[in-house]
Amino acid sequence: MDHLPTTEAAVDALRAIADEYAREIEVTHDIGADQTSRRTTAGVGVTTDADGSLPHEAHVELGGLPVVSVRLYPEDDALITVDGVECPDVDRDDVPAFVRALYDGGAWVRTRRFPPGDFLMVPLPGDRVHKEFVLVGLTPWLAARVR
């Protein structure tokens, strides 16, 4: 696993994946404590954190199916949304592997009969699996991956 030391490095990795899988990509950047979503107490015009660092957050939209968006936070984690299923707290270093698993067909949906529920399962490096409850119902892309 490659270490992605910055938000920009993660965006570059996602650009490479988009190019590899022929997906459109749209990236927006929020730079400064007064612009990033988790710095709501920063105050207007305050661009640096208390330690003097300049937080950088990016939002990435990838084209095609499944519908994938990635919000990369300055705290080294991300929120990845797959066809309406929010997968919070994904480590920034795992973001490229997560997205590749979606495009390579490695991700699947596990259905539980009782109590009923569906879970998006995304394999990650190191024999780990990100498991997320599907609250929104199964889209055609998700339904095609039920095991």
Side-chain angles (χ1 to χ4, degrees):
M1 167 173 60
D2 293 327
H3 176 62
L4 301 172
T6 64
T7 298
E8 193 59 39
V11 169
D12 289 345
L14 288 171
R15 285 185 196 281
I17 291 169
D19 187 50
E20 180 181 341
Y21 291 92
R23 306 283 177 140
E24 290 185 21
I25 185 170
E26 185 176 319
V27 181
T28 56
H29 296 274
D30 296 317
I31 300 174
D34 61 340
Q35 300 297 311
T36 58
S37 64
R38 291 183 174 168
R39 305 294 200 289
T40 56
T41 61
V44 177
V46 177
T47 57
T48 59
D49 282 338
D51 65 359
S53 64
L54 187 64
H56 177 195
E57 182 173 299
H59 186 253
V60 179
E61 296 278 342
L62 294 158
L65 292 177
V67 176
V68 177
S69 68
V70 181
R71 181 164 295 278
L72 296 157
Y73 296 109
E75 295 84 11
D76 299 338
D77 69 324
L79 166 65
I80 301 176
T81 305
V82 181
D83 269 6
V85 179
E86 289 190 351
C87 304
D89 303 321
V90 176
D91 189 292
R92 180 168 56 205
D93 289 341
D94 289 332
V95 168
F98 190 107
V99 173
R100 279 185 192 284
L102 298 173
Y103 294 154
D104 285 343
W108 72 95
V109 173
R110 189 182 85 203
T111 298
R112 185 178 61 201
R113 298 213 187 276
F114 189 80
D118 299 306
F119 297 87
L120 175 62
M121 311 292 285
V122 183
L124 297 172
D127 293 328
R128 298 174 296 134
V129 176
H130 183 93
K131 175 181 172 183
E132 204 62 52
F133 181 68
V134 179
L135 186 63
V136 295
L138 296 181
T139 64
W141 186 88
L142 290 166
R145 277 141 191 87
V146 171
R147 287 189 191 170

